[in-house]
Amino acid sequence: MSWEVERLDKAKELIEMYPQKRSALGPLLYLAQDKDGYISNDSIVEISSLIGITEVQVQSVASFYSMYKQEPTGQYLLSVCKSISCEISKSSDVINKVKEFTNLSNNETDDEGLFTYESVECIGACGGAPAIQVNYETVEGLTPEKAVDLCKWLKDVKPEIVVADELQQKFGGTKSFDWAVEDNTGSSSPVPSFQSYDTSKGSK
C-alpha cells in the first residue's frame, strides 16, 4: 500500500459518506493530490482498489478535471483569473507580473518546486477583479505591484499554510462582498481547503 494508515482511514471515512463507493472518487483524488502534489500512479492504484473501479476509470476522471494535477505541482499553485471580468480589470498586467517574477509559463513549475503557475477561467470573484488564488485560497482586488509583493512574501516566508483572510488583508483590494465569517483555516498543499477531507489546516 502506498498510502499511510491515517490517509487510508480518512479515505474509508469518506467512502462511508456515499451510497456507492465509486461516488467518493472526487474526494479521494483530492486526498491523493494532498499527499503527493499531483495524482500519482500509486494513488490511482490505491483508489481503484478502495472503490472497486478500474485504474483506467480513475485516471479518466483525474485527467478530465483541471484541478486534479497530472504532474508534480509546486508548494504554491498560483492561479490567476483570465476571464472577462478580470480581463476588463487588467488581469493581464497581473498575469505578466506573476510570470515575470516566477519566470514561468502556463502550467509550468520552477526547478525548486516552489511555484506552479497557471492562468484559469472564472474563479467566482468577478466583483473583486482581478483575482488570484494561492492553493485555491482567493485574493481579490490585486494590483500588479501587490501580485509581486505576494510572490516575494511566499518565496521569503514560505508559510506552511496559506489562508485567504490573511492573504486578502496583506495583498488584496476591493472584494466582491464582505466576508461574513472570519476563517483562519487554509490550505497547506495545492488542494482546496475542505474540512471534511482533512485538507483544511488551522493557521498558527
Side-chain angles (χ1 to χ4, degrees):
M1 289 187 178
S2 64
W3 285 14
E4 67 275 19
V5 173
E6 292 80 5
R7 196 169 303 272
L8 282 170
D9 288 344
K10 173 50 66 173
K12 292 171 183 176
E13 180 183 323
L14 287 169
I15 291 168
E16 288 296 318
M17 295 170 61
Y18 295 89
Q20 296 183 5
K21 287 183 176 182
R22 65 189 301 152
S23 299
L25 176 55
L28 294 179
L29 287 169
Y30 278 131
L31 284 187
Q33 191 160 301
D34 183 56
K35 176 181 182 292
D36 296 312
Y38 72 110
I39 311 299
S40 69
N41 289 333
D42 285 346
S43 286
I44 288 173
V45 172
E46 194 75 72
I47 292 170
S48 170
S49 175
L50 282 166
I51 60 177
I53 63 176
T54 68
E55 293 169 24
V56 171
Q57 288 173 309
V58 177
Q59 179 61 42
S60 68
V61 173
S63 60
F64 182 82
Y65 295 101
S66 62
M67 288 172 71
Y68 299 130
K69 304 305 181 187
Q70 305 303 299
E71 300 290 338
T73 304
Q75 183 178 352
Y76 304 113
L77 174 63
L78 306 174
S79 309
V80 187
C81 183
K82 62 177 182 177
S83 288
I84 186 65
S85 294
C86 282
E87 178 58 31
I88 289 171
S89 299
K90 299 187 177 180
S91 64
S92 58
D93 293 342
V94 174
I95 287 172
N96 289 336
K97 285 294 186 181
V98 172
K99 291 172 71 173
E100 179 182 323
F101 182 88
T102 61
N103 198 30
L104 297 173
S105 295
N106 199 33
N107 297 316
E108 288 185 345
T109 300
D110 61 28
D111 292 339
E112 293 77 25
L114 185 66
F115 293 122
T116 295
Y117 168 78
E118 62 179 3
S119 56
V120 296
E121 297 302 333
C122 184
I123 56 177
C126 299
I132 187 174
Q133 290 181 330
V134 181
N135 292 351
Y136 303 104
E137 295 288 298
T138 302
V139 188
E140 301 179 77
L142 199 68
T143 66
E145 294 74 23
K146 283 294 186 180
V148 173
D149 290 343
L150 168 61
C151 291
K152 287 180 178 177
W153 181 76
L154 292 170
K155 185 174 184 178
D156 294 341
V157 177
K158 294 183 176 64
E160 181 181 346
I161 300 166
V162 290
V163 179
D165 281 355
E166 180 182 11
L167 297 180
Q168 183 67 36
Q169 184 178 20
K170 288 179 179 292
F171 308 105
T174 301
K175 297 187 288 187
S176 299
F177 52 85
D178 287 333
W179 300 345
V181 178
E182 183 178 354
D183 186 0
N184 290 317
T185 62
S187 178
S188 60
S189 65
V191 177
S193 175
F194 294 123
Q195 293 182 0
S196 59
Y197 299 1
D198 277 357
T199 59
S200 177
K201 312 295 182 185
S203 63
K204 296 178 181 179

